[in-house]
Every structure is written in C-alpha cells, then in structure tokens.
C-alpha cells in the first residue's frame, strides 16, 4: 500500500490528479469525456422528440426541445438550425421583427459553417427557404430550396415548398422588392457570396 501510494503521490502530475479527484471532487478525463457523450445522447434524444412535434406542426413545443438540445450541445449545427427556425417562426408570427431577423442570421450562420463539414444539412436549406418565403423574398427562397435539392435530390420538403412558390397564380405572388433590396444593401452578403453575387 505504501508503494502504491508513493507511485501516486511521488510524481507531480499523478499527485495533482489525485488531489483534484479526492480533495476537490473533480472528474477524471475519462469521466469528463463520458459526461460529454451522455450529454450529447440526451440532447439528441430531445432533438428527435422535437422533430416529431415539429412534423406535427407543434412549433412551440418543438422549440422548447430544440432549445434544450442546442443549449446542451451548442456546436451541433443541426440542433442550432432547427432552434433558429422555430425561434424565427415564433418571433415572426408575434410581430417581433428584431427577434425574427436575429433568428434568420443564426440560420444563415449555420449554413455558412456547414459548408466546411462533410455532412451537409440539406434540411437546413429547406428551413432557410421557408424563412425567406415568409419574409416575402421568393427569389432567395427558391435559391435555398434549389440548393437543398442539389444536396439531396430526393428531399420532398424542398419540392413541396418550391411548388408553393412557383405554383402561385398571377397576382398572388408575395411582394419581395423590399426584402430583396435589404439583402442587396448588404453587398457581399451570404447569398451573394453563395450564388456568385450580383442582382438577379
């Protein structure tokens, strides 16, 4: 026992780790890693429950679960995309223009960061398309939906949303001049970088 104790306490690093664990109650690296894994599993479970509610049209309830998942694992872009979208929906419907704009920017940031990842979030492009459709900018909405189809040609949500936009009868098209002008003012912004710039 004395030998075992000396092996732990006689070396600075192992002594420090022992003191941190037994005196200060700190977790070991393995325990911390396992805690992170468990936190992700819990967040993923909440996200999936949120998706089920989301597809039922229960946006408010889904938002609460997406918020919890995003808070637990803020670097997971899929969680963040749906959290941003449901935040936008609630703010837009409630007349909170600033909140809606912030949520839209969060979603755009997700798409920008996702360009560097191997797993592309085609569904997030659909969400962005719906956001722009709700804002009356059908041009940007179509670009987002087309991008979703480029990533995943079989994504049915993108086809459905495109039909909603392009299938409108004359006179029913939402005014998009104001929203488009606002985007164009930003020059070199997200969509101009993505689609080669210039007004179209």
């Amino acid at each position: 026992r004395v030998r075992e104790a000396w092996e732990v306490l006689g070396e600075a690093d192992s002594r420090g780790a022992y003191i941190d664990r037994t005196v200060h109650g700190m977790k070991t690296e393995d325990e911390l890693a396992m805690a992170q894994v468990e936190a992700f599993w819990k967040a993923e479970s909440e996200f999936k429950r949120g998706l089920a509610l989301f597809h039922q049209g229960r946006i408010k309830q889904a938002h609460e679960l997406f918020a919890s998942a995003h808070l637990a694992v803020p670097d997971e872009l899929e969680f963040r995309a749906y959290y941003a979208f449901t935040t936008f929906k609630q703010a837009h419907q409630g007349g909170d223009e600033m909140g809606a704009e912030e949520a839209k920017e969060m979603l755009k940031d997700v798409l920008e960061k996702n360009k560097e990842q191997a797993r592309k979030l085609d569904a997030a492009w659909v969400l962005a398309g719906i956001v722009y459709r709700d804002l009356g900018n059908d041009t940007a909405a179509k670009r987002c939906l087309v991008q979703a189809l480029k990533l995943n040609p079989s994504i049915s949500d993108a086809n459905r949303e495109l039909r909603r936009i392009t299938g409108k009868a004359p006179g029913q098209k939402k005014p998009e001049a104001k929203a488009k002008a606002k985007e164009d003012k930003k020059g070199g912004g997200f969509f101009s970088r993505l689609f080669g710039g210039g007004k179209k």
Side-chain angles (χ1 to χ4, degrees):
R1 289 182 179 179
V2 170
R3 185 175 67 251
E4 290 174 356
W6 179 250
E7 287 175 354
V8 173
L9 302 177
E11 201 273 328
D13 289 342
S14 60
R15 182 171 64 250
Y18 177 81
I19 291 171
D20 286 342
R21 185 171 65 255
T22 58
V23 177
H24 302 300
M26 294 174 63
K27 294 182 177 180
T28 65
E29 288 185 6
D30 288 344
E31 289 172 334
L32 288 171
M34 192 63 208
Q36 289 180 333
V37 170
E38 290 174 348
F40 182 83
W41 286 343
K42 181 181 179 182
E44 187 176 42
S45 176
E46 290 182 326
F47 175 72
K48 288 179 178 178
R49 287 167 53 209
L51 271 183
L53 293 169
F54 179 81
H55 291 306
Q56 294 170 16
R58 298 166 66 182
I59 300 297
K60 183 177 180 180
Q61 295 90 332
H63 174 73
E64 293 173 359
L65 290 166
F66 292 152
S68 179
H70 170 63
L71 183 63
V73 191
D75 293 333
E76 175 52 55
L77 294 183
E78 188 174 23
F79 297 172
R80 192 177 184 195
Y82 279 87
Y83 168 68
F85 179 79
T86 52
T87 299
F88 168 83
K89 274 293 189 180
Q90 293 188 106
H92 183 63
Q93 291 171 359
D96 179 5
E97 293 184 9
M98 184 176 294
E101 179 66 20
E102 289 175 355
K104 184 190 76 172
E105 291 300 315
M106 184 188 299
L107 184 53
K108 286 168 62 177
D109 182 63
V110 167
L111 295 173
E112 185 71 31
K113 290 178 177 176
N114 183 234
K115 291 195 296 183
E116 307 302 321
Q117 294 184 325
R119 183 172 71 95
K120 302 305 181 185
L121 300 177
D122 49 278
W125 284 99
V126 177
L127 299 179
I130 297 171
V131 164
Y132 278 100
R133 186 201 67 199
D134 287 355
L135 292 173
N137 190 343
D138 286 355
T139 300
K142 283 187 279 189
R143 286 173 176 170
C144 290
L145 296 169
V146 167
Q147 180 64 18
L149 288 167
K150 285 180 180 179
L151 295 173
N152 179 8
S154 64
I155 186 167
S156 58
D157 290 345
N159 281 309
R160 183 188 66 242
E161 294 301 330
L162 270 175
R163 284 196 297 271
R164 286 182 177 177
I165 295 171
T166 60
K168 292 176 183 175
Q172 289 183 320
K173 187 174 181 180
K174 295 180 181 178
E176 61 179 79
K178 185 176 179 181
K180 187 174 187 303
K182 190 175 181 181
E183 286 295 320
D184 289 339
K185 277 183 183 178
K186 295 182 179 178
F190 180 79
F191 280 101
S192 66
R193 291 199 308 274
L194 183 66
F195 298 109
K199 295 182 181 180
K200 296 181 179 180

